[in-house]
Amino acid sequence: MKFPRLFKRSSPEPTTPAYDTYYDRLTGFPGVAGVDVNTTTAEGISAVYACVAAISETVGSLPLDVYRNTDNGREKAKSHPLYRLLHDAPNNWQSALEFREQMQRHVLLRGNAYAEIVWNPNGSVKALLPMHPDSVTVLRSSLGNLVYDHVDGKGNQRRLLADEVLHLRYHSDDGILGRSPIQVARDTIGLALAERTHGAKMFEQGTKLSGVIETPPGTTKEQAGQIRESWSAGQAGIANHGKTAVLPQGATFKTVSMTLEDAEWIEARRLSIVETARLFRVPPVMIGDMEAANYSNVVELARFFVTNTLRRHLVMWEQAVNRACINNPAFFVEHNVEGLLRGDSLARANFYQRGIEDGWMLRSEVRRIENLPAIEGIDDAQTQDAAPAAGGPNAQPDAADQDAQAKGAAA
């Protein structure tokens, strides 16, 4: 049983930083490509935004229900206080989808997600309040317990104990703080940013004529400056794209930079999409890269997304909520991914047909999985067909038949 904070120790224990470097926050220092990489600039890359959206939107929209263990298996515990928080609204201003999507985005972009757990006096969870990772500092007490210092928007600091915080981690090195793919592969994201900047500057100039102008001997510095300004005014910018350049007598233009074709810029941009998808373990088809997609594998790629991308995040949520928010081991939370794994209509129909014919699935169960209304008596014919028919090959003879057979054998 967990109790509200008023029953805990009145004086906090001495604390020390749980880590030497605050590596869970991006510093924005330039990487190898010479561009600043942080969560804001990284989300400006369409592939990064699409990967984060694909994972966070799916995780946030999947049903996360509370179940109770029973003698016959399990059943939904709709009366449990946590059921409403995870299924409807965890606080006064967010829906369950908005809350879980926000938390999942924090995990992917910053490696950590935090939510304050508000407890009722009876030991049940009253609300879950999200906290921005940049406003939370993780400390370790003298007894080895974790505590969380949270600074609100007004600059006020509060200290929360470990059982007052729902903490989600991603790819942690020390078991305390997680790391995001943007932090680990900063240079990969920086290269994508540099390629985007290169293309934007190229189109901003509006011309591929990038190089040097050679002037005849005797040209003064002032004259060279006038030639440069005249060239920039007449050729730079989208509005001047395609205009014919005119140079002063004796001046020549020589290209010294690579064109987009020489640098294979378009192919490099596509490679950046694939590398970004690889960082987040998302199939490129899920973020709009349809080059490797076709009618025969798109369903399998979607199933791959569930089993190889989402599974880790879903288990993270389930184990964290079970550990931090549920007091009774008879209850647990679990996602329902059946809708994502159903496949096409023909595959589902064949699957259900085999289950019904082989006797390990009822027609009423099929209708429940497909979210169809129940039909009274729909399983009666199926259970009768499954029972051995009287006089059939599997029927057992009664006592009179056994006596008659015995007398016939004796005669």
Side-chain angles (χ1 to χ4, degrees):
M1 176 67 69
K2 295 183 179 180
F3 298 96
R5 188 179 179 91
L6 60 92
F7 290 105
K8 299 188 179 184
R9 49 181 165 70
S10 58
S11 60
E13 304 168 14
T15 57
T16 57
Y19 43 87
D20 295 331
T21 304
Y22 293 91
Y23 58 78
D24 64 324
R25 298 172 189 170
L26 296 177
T27 58
F29 293 152
V32 176
V35 295
D36 291 341
V37 180
N38 52 51
T39 53
T40 302
T41 58
E43 277 199 285
I45 301 298
S46 61
V48 173
Y49 187 90
C51 288
V52 174
I55 297 175
S56 60
E57 290 175 1
T58 306
V59 171
S61 61
L62 280 176
L64 179 58
D65 297 323
V66 181
Y67 292 90
R68 176 192 296 107
N69 291 312
T70 64
D71 295 337
N72 298 325
R74 64 178 185 178
E75 62 181 6
K76 287 186 178 181
K78 294 185 178 181
S79 60
H80 195 283
L82 192 60
Y83 187 95
R84 180 188 62 82
L85 300 181
L86 298 178
H87 191 271
D88 299 324
N91 49 60
N92 293 332
W93 66 89
Q94 283 182 306
S95 65
L97 182 148
E98 294 169 345
F99 168 77
R100 286 192 282 140
E101 181 181 5
Q102 177 189 2
M103 294 280 287
Q104 186 62 49
R105 285 178 56 83
H106 287 168
V107 169
L108 295 171
L109 293 174
R110 290 174 169 82
N112 298 274
Y114 308 95
E116 179 183 357
I117 304 174
V118 181
W119 294 96
N120 281 312
N122 61 1
S124 64
V125 180
K126 180 180 180 181
L128 296 172
L129 311 179
M131 300 182 293
H132 198 283
D134 291 348
S135 66
V136 177
T137 301
V138 183
L139 304 172
R140 179 182 287 137
S141 71
S142 59
L143 298 180
N145 301 317
L146 296 183
V147 295
Y148 300 80
D149 285 348
H150 175 239
V151 180
D152 60 20
K154 299 180 180 180
N156 301 319
Q157 179 174 310
R158 295 187 306 129
R159 175 157 295 181
L160 302 174
L161 304 180
D163 57 0
E164 295 176 302
V165 176
L166 174 64
H167 185 182
L168 305 177
R169 304 175 181 89
Y170 188 52
H171 289 178
S172 175
D173 265 349
D174 56 6
I176 298 175
L177 289 175
R179 301 178 302 160
S180 73
I182 299 175
Q183 296 169 258
V184 177
R186 179 191 302 269
D187 290 335
T188 300
I189 303 298
L191 178 60
L193 287 168
E195 291 168 352
R196 185 193 64 178
T197 303
H198 171 73
K201 289 296 183 181
M202 181 65 68
F203 286 108
E204 180 183 353
Q205 296 300 322
T207 176
K208 295 179 181 178
L209 297 179
S210 178
V212 297
I213 299 176
E214 292 186 355
T215 58
T219 302
T220 64
K221 185 177 181 179
E222 290 76 12
Q223 292 174 334
Q226 293 175 358
I227 295 175
R228 182 178 62 252
E229 294 175 0
S230 176
W231 175 271
S232 178
Q235 301 300 318
I238 299 298
N240 293 323
H241 181 68
K243 288 186 176 181
T244 302
V246 179
L247 294 173
Q249 185 176 2
T252 59
F253 180 85
K254 291 186 177 181
T255 302
V256 296
S257 62
M258 294 186 299
T259 63
L260 294 182
E261 293 82 2
D262 295 333
E264 297 185 351
W265 178 77
I266 296 178
E267 182 63 24
R269 287 280 288 168
R270 185 191 173 279
L271 180 61
S272 294
I273 296 176
V274 175
E275 287 189 335
T276 301
R278 186 181 299 122
L279 290 178
F280 290 91
R281 299 190 65 194
V282 174
V285 66
M286 300 300 299
I287 60 174
D289 186 354
M290 306 299 292
E291 182 170 332
N294 52 58
Y295 288 107
S296 63
N297 69 356
V298 66
V299 175
E300 292 301 321
L301 288 174
R303 187 175 289 111
F304 175 91
F305 176 66
V306 176
T307 57
N308 293 276
T309 303
L310 295 182
R311 179 175 175 80
R312 193 269 176 206
H313 299 284
L314 300 181
V315 174
M316 171 190 66
W317 271 94
E318 293 166 1
Q319 294 185 353
V321 173
N322 287 333
R323 179 188 60 82
C325 301
I326 296 184
N327 306 325
N328 192 336
F331 296 90
F332 65 95
V333 300
E334 187 174 293
H335 288 89
N336 183 2
V337 298
E338 181 65 31
L340 298 177
L341 296 175
R342 286 180 182 175
D344 55 29
S345 300
L346 180 60
R348 297 204 311 274
N350 294 334
F351 172 77
Y352 296 145
Q353 182 180 5
R354 289 296 302 272
I356 294 173
E357 292 179 351
D358 293 345
W360 51 267
M361 179 176 281
L362 297 175
R363 294 188 178 99
S364 60
E365 294 175 330
V366 174
R367 295 187 65 84
R368 184 167 62 251
I369 294 174
E370 291 291 325
N371 292 322
L372 296 174
I375 298 179
E376 185 177 358
I378 190 174
D379 295 330
D380 294 344
Q382 181 178 350
T383 54
Q384 291 175 2
D385 293 341
N394 296 326
Q396 298 295 329
D398 55 18
D401 292 337
Q402 291 178 358
D403 292 341
Q405 293 175 3
K407 291 178 180 179

